[in-house]
Amino acid sequence: MAPDSKRQRLADVLRECGSVVIGYSGGVDSVFLARVAVDVLGAPNVLAVTGKSDSIASWMEDTAREVAERFGIPWLELETHEMRDPRYAANPSNRCYFCKSELWTRLADVARDRGMGAVLDGSNADDVGDHRPGAVAATENAVRSPLLEAGLTKAEIREWSRELGLPTWDQPAAPCLASRIPYGIAVTPERLRQIETAELALRALGFRDFRVRHHDGLARLEVHPAEIARVAEHRAGIAEAVRAAGFRRVLIDLQGYRRGSLNEGLAGAQLVQLGAFG
């Protein structure tokens, strides 16, 4: 489908919905969807909702709020309670299903209470085929995915976001903090705080596209290949940041950051120890 046809299809899907509640994380896709929805449907027919929990990085909440205020997107933040679900906290490979079930159930309640026509997510055409148990929860809750229905890819969404002046157009992907914890290791508020503390410190050092993976007392750092040469330059700062976050040591993964690396497990990963603290 040609780009113009995809844009028209997106507008058509939104008009079919009439009024919408959007799962709005502050990431590239949901920000874009909310911005276009306001253009197509008008602000009174759009509500962007951000779920607030320990698993969401504070800087993502800030981005969601700031973009909504800047672009006139009606916005609501509500607390979600996936951490109370022992099935989620146990961190099985379908952990996202339990998180998204909580989120979409809460957003369906918001949509019903406010008389909104549909609940939407920001899934796009590139998400098809990924390990996405959260998509099952979306289907069960009748959540629509207009970007996917229109066939829009991530690259196309970024380009259109740039045209719209959205500051998120080149923002790196930022899934929840729990995605940094290997399956089978319990998700706890303390572990999530450790991850966020370490990642905020690395962002302050200028790193942009990376993950701090939590392996109990050990942090495995994945940095985008374009930035990996800077690791040696900031060795001391990285070690200090990780220690301050409560880890005993940090390893650098020489394969660099890539999506879905937790599905690989540690077997075969190339690791170089940067620092250890007794």
Side-chain angles (χ1 to χ4, degrees):
M1 189 183 298
D4 287 346
S5 298
K6 292 182 181 183
R7 296 188 181 200
Q8 184 59 53
R9 175 57 181 155
L10 176 57
D12 290 343
V13 171
L14 291 169
R15 291 191 184 99
E16 287 173 18
C17 295
S19 57
V20 298
V21 171
I22 299 172
Y24 177 76
S25 66
V28 177
D29 300 322
S30 64
V31 165
F32 168 76
L33 178 59
R35 174 71 169 82
V36 173
V38 167
D39 283 349
V40 172
L41 301 176
N45 293 309
V46 177
L47 180 64
V49 181
T50 301
K52 180 178 177 61
S53 77
D54 291 330
S55 65
I56 304 301
S58 59
W59 70 268
M60 286 289 289
E61 294 178 42
D62 293 342
T63 298
R65 179 185 303 104
E66 291 164 5
V67 172
E69 292 175 352
R70 177 176 169 185
F71 290 91
I73 300 168
W75 180 72
L76 172 69
E77 187 173 47
L78 59 78
E79 289 192 11
T80 58
H81 304 294
E82 66 275 6
M83 294 292 294
R84 297 178 184 175
D85 186 339
R87 298 169 299 176
Y88 172 86
N91 199 14
S93 60
N94 63 340
R95 175 198 66 241
C96 290
Y97 171 82
F98 303 109
C99 176
K100 294 300 186 183
S101 290
E102 164 72 5
L103 177 67
W104 298 130
T105 298
R106 299 292 304 281
L107 266 60
D109 290 342
V110 171
R112 183 182 61 253
D113 292 346
R114 299 189 178 220
M116 309 292 268
V119 177
L120 311 181
D121 73 7
S123 298
N124 64 64
D126 290 338
D127 293 325
V128 176
D130 280 353
H131 176 64
R132 291 173 58 81
V136 177
T139 299
E140 290 177 351
N141 286 275
V143 176
R144 292 190 69 169
S145 305
L147 306 181
L148 176 58
E149 292 184 45
L152 284 161
T153 66
K154 192 73 163 190
E156 290 169 330
I157 291 165
R158 288 187 183 279
E159 175 58 25
W160 194 352
S161 295
R162 186 185 63 79
E163 293 175 18
L164 292 171
L166 294 171
T168 50
W169 76 271
D170 64 343
Q171 179 175 288
C176 76
L177 296 172
S179 67
R180 279 69 150 171
I181 304 175
Y183 300 131
I185 296 178
V187 178
T188 66
E190 179 183 18
R191 285 178 172 138
L192 296 172
R193 283 193 296 271
Q194 285 181 288
I195 293 165
E196 179 167 27
T197 299
E199 291 196 350
L200 284 172
L202 265 69
R203 285 170 63 86
L205 290 173
F207 290 95
R208 193 165 181 274
D209 202 358
F210 65 93
R211 297 287 184 272
V212 174
R213 308 289 189 188
H214 196 304
H215 299 276
D216 285 331
L218 182 139
R220 176 164 62 95
L221 175 59
E222 294 179 6
V223 177
H224 191 281
E227 296 184 285
I228 202 165
R230 299 182 59 240
V231 171
E233 176 186 349
H234 292 282
R235 179 180 182 277
I238 292 171
E240 181 180 352
V242 171
R243 177 172 58 182
F247 294 96
R248 289 182 290 104
R249 64 183 67 185
V250 55
L251 306 181
I252 176 69
D253 188 329
L254 296 182
Q255 293 183 66
Y257 167 62
R258 63 269 184 208
R259 290 182 62 181
S261 70
L262 282 186
N263 296 327
E264 304 166 2
L266 279 177
Q270 295 176 278
L271 303 174
V272 175
Q273 183 171 313
L274 291 185
F277 309 94

